[in-house]
Amino acid sequence: MTVPSPYADRLSRLPVVRREVEVRGGKTAFWEYGPADAETTVIAVHGFRGDHHGLEPVLAFLPEVRVLAPDLPGFGESEPVPGRTYDLDEYVAWLSEFAAEAAPGAVILGHSFGSIVTSAAVARGLETPRLILINPIGAPALEGPKGIMTKLAVLYYALGARLPERVGTALLRNRLIVRVMSITMAKTTDPELRRFIHDQHDTYFSRFSDRDVLRDAFVASVSHDVSEVADAIDVPTLLIAAQRDDITPIEVERVLATRFSDASLVEIAHVGHLIHYETPAEAAGAIRRFLRIPVERHP
């Protein structure tokens, strides 16, 4: 990372400890933010191609909360297990085991692809008092107004997987393509913030272990969405959605919110799929208010 974070001062005041735990036969690296004795612990799952760094701006505005932020298997500093297919079933099993090892009963949070993994895990029995979804993927990626762009992405990742390994991996890590992704998603007109966002993607978007892991994650990300499991989730759920999100339009997020038995939707204006970078204070404020709402307990 070469561009200073606008949130560096706040982050510098947070206690941060790097930890590791073995999950499903591989090492999962995770970072513990905030006070160890905090009243609330949150497990935060990042999005596709990123790692735990992506959610740091939001965590900077939640200093009173203990947050465990793992790198998904095969991304950042977490190891994949050789020969394993990282489809949604595997990610759900990984998250369920990680939560049992690191923080049973924690609040679960997922951003983007992380929203697919976390919602599926909770729907399948991962115990949590609350679920938080930032930029949730609310509809099939291959449908809707951006379906053509998604189909192009499918071709890109398929080509990266089929070319000779060195060439394919170089294509998948191509800085120009990463920059195009970043420019497409960023909505802010603040030049300093845009430089920071692009630098974050340049630094962390290619930290996948190998192209097989990246291909599996991409296939999982476009083959599933939160709407598949919303009906099966019975814990209080917060959806934080962007009014200019190119991946899931806000109209779709409004419909998605009605699919849960107990959900609230917070809409953030003038931002797209990068709430965690562009409007982290607003996201953190919504999370803080949500965490303060008493959870109704049934005998």
Side-chain angles (χ1 to χ4, degrees):
M1 188 173 72
T2 58
V3 177
S5 168
Y7 315 109
D9 183 59
R10 283 182 170 273
L11 278 169
S12 70
R13 290 179 251 157
L14 276 184
V16 183
V17 180
R18 184 192 182 281
R19 303 190 187 280
E20 292 180 4
V21 64
E22 185 169 314
V23 180
R24 296 186 61 74
K27 178 192 72 177
T28 290
F30 69 99
W31 284 256
E32 179 177 350
Y33 297 83
D37 59 351
E39 182 178 343
T40 301
T41 295
V42 174
I43 293 175
V45 181
H46 63 80
F48 175 66
R49 282 196 72 141
D51 65 12
H52 70 282
H53 289 95
L55 290 170
E56 283 190 333
V58 178
L59 308 187
F61 289 91
L62 291 169
E64 75 279 16
V65 179
R66 175 176 177 248
V67 179
L68 307 185
D71 285 346
L72 287 168
F75 293 89
E77 297 182 28
S78 289
E79 298 175 345
V81 175
R84 182 165 288 170
T85 299
Y86 280 92
D87 54 15
L88 184 58
D89 289 343
E90 180 57 36
Y91 280 116
V92 166
W94 165 83
L95 177 58
S96 299
E97 186 172 315
F98 174 79
E101 291 287 335
V107 172
I108 302 297
L109 178 153
H111 169 256
S112 189
F113 176 51
S115 74
I116 297 174
V117 174
T118 56
S119 60
V122 172
R124 298 184 196 182
L126 173 59
E127 291 190 11
T128 181
R130 306 172 195 260
L131 175 63
I132 300 167
L133 307 176
I134 303 175
N135 287 119
I137 307 300
L142 294 171
E143 299 176 8
K146 297 297 178 180
I148 293 176
M149 294 300 294
T150 303
K151 290 181 176 69
L152 290 175
V154 170
L155 292 175
Y156 165 67
Y157 285 103
L159 184 61
R162 291 172 184 167
L163 287 169
E165 184 171 0
R166 184 175 178 182
V167 177
T169 301
L171 174 66
L172 294 170
R173 290 196 166 113
N174 184 277
R175 290 176 66 87
L176 177 60
I177 293 175
V178 170
R179 179 56 59 90
V180 170
M181 295 178 192
S182 188
I183 291 171
T184 301
M185 290 188 289
K187 303 301 180 187
T188 180
T189 58
D190 181 330
E192 291 296 325
L193 184 54
R194 288 185 73 88
R195 276 194 286 271
F196 168 69
I197 290 169
H198 298 333
D199 186 62
Q200 287 282 292
H201 289 143
D202 288 347
T203 304
Y204 301 118
F205 243 42
S206 295
R207 296 182 69 201
F208 53 89
S209 62
D210 59 70
R211 62 181 182 168
D212 292 335
V213 165
L214 185 65
R215 178 203 58 219
D216 288 353
F218 176 75
V219 170
S221 74
V222 299
S223 302
H224 301 278
D225 64 88
V226 177
S227 70
E228 296 176 4
V229 298
D231 294 342
I233 294 173
D234 60 2
V235 299
T237 301
L238 171 65
L239 289 75
I240 304 175
Q243 292 184 351
R244 297 180 62 195
D245 196 333
D246 293 323
I247 295 178
T248 302
I250 192 62
E251 295 81 9
V252 174
E253 302 285 31
R254 291 166 183 162
V255 173
L256 176 64
T258 68
R259 299 281 302 276
F260 294 84
S261 63
D262 180 4
S264 55
L265 171 65
V266 172
E267 298 183 17
I268 302 181
H270 313 302
V271 68
H273 201 66
L274 303 181
I275 283 175
H276 56 309
Y277 285 141
E278 297 188 34
T279 56
E282 291 88 338
I287 292 169
R288 181 176 292 107
R289 292 189 295 273
F290 178 64
L291 293 177
R292 287 174 178 167
I293 299 172
V295 175
E296 183 178 348
R297 301 189 181 278
H298 300 283

